[in-house]
Amino acid sequence: MRLIGKRDIVAAILIALVAGAAFTSPPLQTLQGLSLDILTALRWKLVGDRRDPATSPVVVVAIDGETYETPPFKGSPTQTWTREIGRVLGSITEGGAKVIGFDVIFPSSIEQSEIPFGDTSFGNRVKGFDRDYLIALRKLSDSGKLVLGEILSNDHPDRPDRAQQLAVKNNIRALNVHTDADDVIRRMPLSFSIAGQPMPAMAVELTARALAAKPETGPTGVTNLSGYAIPGPVPNTLTLNFRGMGRDIPAYSFADLRACVEKGDAEFFRRAFDGKIVLLGSILNFDDRKLTSMRLAGGYDGTPGSRCAPPAPAGAAQQARNAVAGVFVHATVVRNLLEHDAITELGFPLRAILTIAFAAIIAAAACLLAPTGAAITWLGLTVAYAAVAVGTFTHAIALPLTEPVLAGLAALALMIGYRFVIADREERFLRKSFAFYLAPEVIDGMVASGKMPVLGGEMRNITMFFSDLSGFSSIAEKMTPSELVALMNDYLSAMTDIIESHGGYVDKYIGDSIVAMFGAPADDPDHARNAVAAALQCRDRLEELNESHPAFRGRGLAHRIGLNSGEAVVGNIGSRRRFNYTVMSDTVNLASRLEGANKYFGTVIMASEMTVDQSRNAYTWRELDMVRVQGRDEPIRVYEPLADVNQETQEQGTRAAAYAEGLACWRARDFAQAAALFESAARDDPPSRYFARRARALATNPPPGEWTPVNTLEGK
C-alpha cells in the first residue's frame, strides 16, 4: 500500500465525480434499462418465484398454435372465428370473470368481403354472420365487463371494425406500449391523451373496473388507483415487475375452451375464471412478440392452465425465450397494479450519488493499492453491491447496477492512468532511455515484465523496405559537413515520420539508406499494403522537399525504394553485451537487391511479386520484368506501383497498357514489335526506354532458341 498525498486525494475525488457524472448522463440512459434487465435475470436465477400461478388475479385466454391446428379453426380465416369467440366469452362471463380485455383486434369483418361470389359479393352471401358475436359484445359491454383494444397512431391506427365499435360504444382502450431507445419494453404508459382528455391504458382500465375505482393523477404527476400510488421515474408510466417471468400467469388455450363450451362444462369455467381479470391475446411464435426486461434470462408465455376437454398436444412444453407474447406484458401490468408490486426506481439524484460513491471507493482503492489489488477490490465490491441490489429488487426496489459498476471500472482505469502518468517515474525513465534504440513494442514488453531485453528471435511474415539516395556521394562532396548533416537529418526525419505513420519500424540508418520493416514488432496483417503506401508517400514527399525546402532546392535529390514480403527472423540479435532489435533472412537481401535494381529501369519504387500478392489489390501495378538478382538463382517478377487502385491517371493507364503489350511481345520473341511499342512511350518513361534498347538489340541480333525472358542483373 502506497502513501498518498493531497494531490492524490483531489485526483480521486475528481475522477469519481467525472466517472459518476458520465455514466448517469443522458447519453448513457440505456444503462438504467440494462440494470433492470440484469436485476430481473439475477433475481430469477437466484431467488425465483414461489407464488402459485393459480392464485394469479389475471389469466390469459391464448390464441395459440393449437387453436390454429384444431377444427373448426384450422384453415379458416380469423374473421370467421367471431361466433366461437362470442360463445367462449359468454361462458367465461358466466364463470364469474370480473372483466375481459381484448389484446387482439379484428379490424374487418367477413361481412365486408367484396370478393365476387355468384351474382353478388361474398360479404352479402354471409350477411348476418357476425350478429351473434356483436350481440355478445353489446351484452358484455353494457354490463361493464368487456374492453376492446386499439392501437393509437397518427399514421396507421388499428381499431376494431365499425360494427364492433358501435356494439361496445366507448369501451375501447389503447394497447400501445412504451419502448426504450434500445427497443425494449421496461415501462408501460398509464394513460393516453385522446381529444385533450386522459384515457386509461388497457391494463389500467381493466384493473380499475375490477376494483370499482378510477385512476386519479395528482398535481405531482403521480397516478393513484384505489389507494395505490403507482411508482414511476417518468410521469404517467409504470415500471414492469416481471417477478414470475410470465410463468405466474395461467394461460388457457382458446381451442380447449371452445371444446369445453361444446362439452357444456360450466363448472370448469367457474373454477378457472371466477373473480379473474381475463385477457384474450395471441401467443403465436410470429405474432406480437415483445422484448422486455426478461430478455436476458428468458421469459415464458404463461403457465399452461388446466385442461377441460382434449389433452395438451404433444411437444407443447414451453421454453424460455427473449421475446414474449405482448398479452403477457399487459397481464403483468394488471398483476403489478392489483398487488401493488410495480418496480420503484430511484430518481436521478439518488442514482448519481450512489454511482459517484461507488466510483470514489474504487478510486481510493486504486490510489492505495497495486493495480491487481485495486482490480480485486472492484470485483469484490461489485459482487457485494450486486447481492444488495438483488435483495432490494426482491422487494420491488431497483438500485442502479450497471452505472456504479461501470463508473467504478472507469475510475479504476483513470486512477491507474493517473498513477502511471504522474507517479511512475522509473517506468518513464526506462522508456526515455531506450526510446532511441528499441522498438516501442519491445520497450512495452520490458516494462510489463520488469526485465531488461535479452537475445532471441522469432519467425514472422513481414515486408522489408529499403531506400537509398541515388548519386548522393557526388552531391555530398559539394557540401560542408554541417550542411550535409542538416540535409540528412531533414531527409531521414521526413521519411521516418511517413514510415512510422503507416505502422513501420525503422531498423537502422546506413548512411543515407533506410532499412525498415512492416509487420514487426507490432503484428500487422496489412503490412504489405502499408509498406507500399509508405513508399508512395515517401516518393511524393521527396519531390515536395526538392521544390520547397531551402536545403534541398537545386540539388535534385532522388531515391530508390525496394519492397519485398516474406518470412524473416526478427528479434533481439547481436552479442550478449550489445544487441539491436533487427531482422535477418533472404527476404531482407532480396528487398535490398530490388532497391538497387531500380537504377536499371529508371524507377523509384520496385516491389516483388510477393508484396504485390499480399497488398490485397489495394494498388494499380505495372509489371516491369522478370529478373534474377545477384546471389539468387530463382527469377522473380518485379512491379512498379502506380497509384491506389482505380486512382491512376489516364496517362499512367495508357502507358502501362502499352508497356504490358510490349512485354508480351518481348516474351513471345517478337522483338521488333516490342521495340516499337516500347519506343512509343520511351520519351518520358524510363522503363520503356530501357526495354526499347534491349528489344532493338535483340531484334538486330536474335538470341539462341534456348533464350528465356529473364533479365539477369549483375550489380547490386
Side-chain angles (χ1 to χ4, degrees):
M1 185 177 294
R2 62 188 286 267
L3 296 175
I4 61 173
K6 290 183 179 180
R7 184 175 61 179
D8 296 327
I9 296 173
V10 171
I13 294 173
L14 289 176
I15 286 173
L17 289 172
V18 170
F23 284 95
T24 55
S25 62
L28 296 179
Q29 189 72 27
T30 53
L31 293 178
Q32 185 178 355
L34 183 59
S35 292
L36 288 173
D37 302 348
I38 295 172
L39 288 171
T40 300
L42 289 175
R43 182 181 63 184
W44 177 249
K45 297 294 184 182
L46 299 176
V47 180
D49 183 25
R50 297 181 178 87
R51 298 175 301 173
D52 184 359
T55 65
S56 172
V58 58
V59 299
V60 167
V61 173
I63 299 175
D64 54 5
E66 178 187 352
T67 303
Y68 275 82
E69 294 298 323
T70 303
F73 309 108
K74 184 176 183 180
S76 302
T78 55
Q79 290 93 333
T80 64
W81 297 11
T82 52
R83 286 184 177 181
E84 302 304 323
I85 292 175
R87 295 176 65 196
V88 172
L89 291 179
S91 295
I92 291 173
T93 305
E94 292 170 3
K98 288 186 174 181
V99 63
I100 302 171
F102 271 43
D103 187 41
V104 291
I105 300 172
F106 295 97
S108 61
S109 167
I110 195 170
E111 296 182 25
Q112 299 170 346
S113 174
E114 296 181 0
I115 296 176
F117 193 84
D119 57 355
T120 185
S121 68
F122 184 79
N124 287 332
R125 289 281 187 178
V126 294
K127 211 67 171 176
F129 183 88
D130 286 339
R131 182 179 296 111
D132 292 342
Y133 173 63
L134 295 173
I135 291 172
L137 294 185
R138 180 64 175 268
K139 180 180 178 181
L140 291 173
S141 174
D142 288 347
S143 65
K145 291 192 173 184
L146 178 69
V147 182
L148 296 186
E150 66 174 343
I151 301 296
L152 301 176
S153 172
N154 292 329
D155 300 322
H156 303 288
D158 197 3
R159 304 198 78 199
D161 74 79
R162 183 63 178 168
Q164 295 177 60
Q165 294 178 37
L166 293 173
V168 301
K169 300 179 181 177
N170 192 40
N171 291 310
I172 302 176
R173 296 294 182 267
L175 295 166
N176 297 64
V177 298
H178 173 86
T179 57
D180 289 342
D182 54 358
D183 292 327
V184 177
I185 299 171
R186 301 183 180 94
R187 302 167 190 87
M188 285 288 284
L190 299 175
S191 66
F192 301 90
S193 179
I194 300 178
Q197 297 296 320
M199 189 68 68
M202 169 65 80
V204 178
E205 180 69 22
L206 295 177
T207 308
R209 293 193 183 195
L211 296 172
K214 288 187 177 181
E216 298 176 351
T217 302
T220 61
V222 176
T223 301
N224 192 293
L225 179 61
S226 188
Y228 176 46
I230 303 171
V234 179
N236 195 40
T237 64
L238 170 147
T239 303
L240 290 157
N241 188 0
F242 293 102
R243 191 178 292 274
M245 307 297 279
R247 299 185 71 172
D248 55 331
I249 299 171
Y252 296 89
S253 172
F254 183 78
D256 181 63
L257 296 180
R258 189 263 178 189
C260 198
V261 172
E262 291 290 321
K263 185 179 176 182
D265 190 349
E267 181 61 23
F268 177 85
F269 282 96
R270 188 193 63 77
R271 292 195 307 270
F273 300 107
D274 186 32
K276 306 289 188 181
I277 295 175
V278 181
L279 275 160
L280 173 67
S282 169
I283 65 169
L284 298 173
N285 291 332
F286 55 85
D287 184 31
D288 194 31
R289 310 303 297 189
K290 307 292 187 185
L291 273 179
T292 68
S293 48
M294 298 185 285
R295 63 192 178 113
L296 298 182
Y300 296 84
D301 289 341
T303 292
S306 56
R307 306 279 297 187
C308 173
Q318 289 196 23
Q319 293 182 343
R321 51 200 303 172
N322 63 347
V324 298
V327 66
F328 289 98
V329 176
H330 298 286
T332 299
V333 176
V334 172
R335 185 156 193 180
N336 288 169
L337 290 172
L338 289 171
E339 297 178 348
H340 298 183
D341 197 33
I343 293 294
T344 299
E345 296 184 77
L346 301 188
F348 173 79
L350 287 177
R351 287 191 296 111
I353 290 171
L354 268 176
T355 302
I356 291 172
F358 191 101
I361 294 172
I362 298 302
C367 189
L368 290 167
L369 305 175
T372 302
I376 293 173
T377 301
W378 171 81
L379 182 60
L381 188 60
T382 296
V383 172
Y385 179 79
V388 172
V390 172
T392 61
F393 199 65
T394 60
H395 298 286
I397 298 174
L399 298 179
L401 182 60
T402 52
E403 301 100 311
V405 170
L406 292 178
L409 185 61
L412 174 66
L414 289 171
M415 181 53 71
I416 291 174
Y418 159 80
R419 287 180 56 181
F420 176 83
V421 173
I422 303 300
D424 297 339
R425 309 288 183 182
E426 182 178 347
E427 182 175 330
R428 289 207 305 278
F429 172 76
L430 286 174
R431 291 185 180 278
K432 185 176 180 180
S433 299
F434 287 95
F436 293 104
Y437 307 103
L438 295 176
E441 291 77 11
V442 177
I443 299 176
D444 289 341
M446 180 179 65
V447 170
S449 65
K451 299 177 181 179
M452 299 298 286
V454 295
L455 293 173
E458 61 176 332
M459 188 67 73
R460 297 277 286 273
N461 188 279
I462 64 170
T463 296
M464 288 302 301
F465 176 110
F466 266 80
S467 75
D468 185 38
L469 285 172
S470 57
F472 185 70
S473 298
S474 59
I475 296 175
E477 292 175 354
K478 304 173 184 177
M479 303 174 67
T480 65
S482 59
E483 291 175 334
L484 179 61
V485 170
L487 178 69
M488 288 307 305
N489 286 342
D490 288 341
Y491 167 76
L492 295 175
S493 295
M495 300 303 113
T496 300
D497 289 345
I498 293 171
I499 291 168
E500 292 182 345
S501 70
H502 288 85
Y505 165 64
V506 175
D507 178 12
K508 60 177 70 72
Y509 303 111
I510 307 173
D512 58 295
S513 300
I514 301 174
V515 182
M517 68 181 91
F518 291 77
D523 187 38
D524 179 10
D526 294 325
H527 55 81
R529 184 169 62 183
N530 288 328
V532 177
L536 289 170
Q537 193 172 345
C538 285
R539 178 196 64 188
D540 297 340
R541 180 60 178 148
L542 183 56
E543 292 178 359
E544 294 174 2
L545 290 173
N546 283 332
E547 293 177 2
S548 61
H549 199 288
F552 288 76
R553 192 178 296 117
R555 301 190 186 278
L557 288 182
H559 57 185
R560 301 183 296 265
I561 300 173
L563 302 173
N564 183 39
S565 303
E567 298 292 322
V569 176
V570 295
N572 296 317
I573 300 171
S575 71
R576 291 182 178 83
R577 289 192 304 107
R578 184 169 181 174
F579 50 83
N580 291 319
Y581 188 87
T582 188
V583 57
M584 294 191 310
S585 82
D586 182 59
T587 299
V588 182
N589 298 332
L590 180 54
S592 174
R593 295 292 187 265
L594 295 183
E595 176 272 310
N598 279 291
K599 60 189 175 186
Y600 291 94
F601 293 85
T603 50
V604 176
I605 305 170
M606 184 179 294
S608 69
E609 56 188 291
M610 290 74 79
T611 298
V612 174
D613 292 341
Q614 293 191 40
S615 63
R616 303 183 182 181
N617 301 319
Y619 303 98
T620 298
W621 298 89
R622 170 168 68 167
E623 182 182 354
L624 293 171
D625 200 357
M626 180 175 287
V627 302
R628 182 182 291 110
V629 299
Q630 189 175 26
R632 184 184 176 96
D633 295 331
E634 182 182 356
I636 62 165
R637 296 179 186 272
V638 292
Y639 296 79
E640 178 190 21
L642 301 179
D644 290 343
V645 66
N646 298 326
Q647 297 299 314
E648 68 274 13
T649 64
Q650 182 177 1
E651 182 183 358
Q652 286 176 322
T654 302
R655 186 186 299 157
Y659 191 94
E661 188 178 353
L663 191 60
C665 292
W666 164 270
R667 289 171 176 169
R669 299 178 65 99
D670 188 354
F671 301 116
Q673 180 63 21
L677 289 168
F678 286 126
E679 287 170 351
S680 66
R683 186 172 61 85
D684 54 356
D685 184 39
S688 296
R689 193 158 50 247
Y690 169 65
F691 242 116
R693 291 195 303 270
R694 296 170 59 200
R696 186 60 64 190
L698 291 184
T700 304
N701 298 301
E706 64 273 12
W707 175 86
T708 58
V710 175
N711 187 7
T712 300
L713 306 178
E714 300 298 335
K716 294 184 179 181

